[in-house]
Amino acid sequence: MTSAGHEAQLRIQEGVLLGHALVARLADSLGIRVFFIKGPASVIQGLRKAKISADVDVFVDPSRIEQLLQGLYERGWRQRPVDPDDRTFPKHSVTVHHAEWPCCIDVHFRFPGMERAADDCFKALWENTVHMELAGQRLRVPTKALGILFLALHALRSRDLAACREELESLAMLTRRESLAETLLELASATGALAAVRPFLEGLLPEAITAVWPEPSREWHNRVAAQAPGSARLIAIAQASWRDKSRMLWAAILPPPAVLLSGNIYADMSLPGRFKQHRARWARFLRGVPRLVRSLRGL
């Protein structure tokens, strides 16, 4: 890595640490319950190998998310453009960015795979957090068992990727070594994550424990199946009513500007710039056709 690249990574890492402190202070001043997931805390807890975090992941009391976001907006943060199609991409967080900050903040109000009602789920999550000294602040983070559940669910969404398989194997070893399988089962039950986490957890439970595994929801099934570029949209179109299919298909062929900006907020939105981005989207789609076919067969 070049010295410039190394300096950029250090700046991002510093921004992530300062971002944790910023959100913690803001939430404390507003009396809002938040805790931080993944990122530096998971490295300190031994759940992940040391790595550069690209953003701040904070989980907020769902009933107070608008107040926290307003506090960030007043401090110069702005919501990143997002794809307006929440049928294809059910929302679980709001991402904000700042022109003078090297990283984004992802404000989570739910987590994919945890399907209990948002307020009830947060209550169960909050009861399984602990304090940690990080970035000069006393922050709330998940217990080790809950941290494993978050990371396992995140990796299970893309378990065809080598990095995700490696992370799941590492988390499984840690779960066995520290005898956390039964605790994970309790957490998964309390948060509605049993169906999603089953491929990871089932083989870790003692033989004496018999779990009742529910069927995965359509959202989770689609999320896991949609691995190739464009597959999520095709799955959503296939499952939509006939009344909605044509509108969704047209939006897939000619997406609104927010879709282009969601990948790069500095994207060239001139007519030639848009044409270039559309061409790149179709190229990615065509390259991913073999994987896309496998994804659709998985349904």
Side-chain angles (χ1 to χ4, degrees), residues 125-235:
L125 295 173
W126 185 255
E127 291 171 353
N128 289 275
T129 60
V130 294
H131 284 105
M132 173 184 288
E133 292 292 331
L134 183 67
Q137 293 282 124
R138 193 164 180 257
L139 309 180
R140 283 264 190 174
V141 300
T143 60
K144 185 171 285 190
L146 182 55
I148 291 173
L149 181 59
F150 274 120
L151 293 177
L153 288 172
H154 187 262
L156 284 167
R157 285 152 58 180
S158 305
R159 51 188 156 149
D160 288 344
L161 299 179
C164 291
R165 291 196 302 271
E166 182 181 336
E167 181 156 56
L168 288 169
E169 290 169 6
S170 176
L171 293 171
M173 290 175 58
L174 178 61
T175 301
R176 291 191 184 97
R177 186 167 66 246
E178 303 203 9
S179 302
L180 292 172
E182 291 182 60
T183 304
L184 277 171
L185 181 65
E186 293 172 3
L187 287 171
S189 179
T191 58
L194 280 173
V197 83
R198 180 179 181 178
F200 169 76
L201 183 56
E202 188 172 23
L204 299 175
L205 292 171
E207 292 184 5
I209 301 295
T210 302
V212 178
W213 304 100
E215 289 296 314
S217 67
R218 172 180 283 189
E219 178 187 337
W220 181 255
H221 200 275
N222 290 354
R223 195 179 287 274
V224 172
Q227 299 300 313
S231 56
R233 293 189 189 279
L234 288 182
I235 291 170

Side-chain angles (χ1 to χ4, degrees), residues 22-23 26 30 64-82 93-99 105 107:
L22 167 74
V23 176
L26 172 61
L30 296 172
R64 304 290 301 278
I65 183 172
E66 293 302 330
Q67 289 171 273
L68 184 67
L69 289 173
Q70 184 59 40
L72 289 168
Y73 298 152
E74 291 171 358
R75 287 157 177 78
W77 295 81
R78 293 292 178 264
Q79 184 174 340
R80 283 184 66 108
V82 294
S93 65
V94 177
T95 302
V96 296
H97 68 101
H98 194 294
I105 298 174
V107 183

Side-chain angles (χ1 to χ4, degrees), residues 27 34 43 192 289:
V34 302
V43 175
V289 164

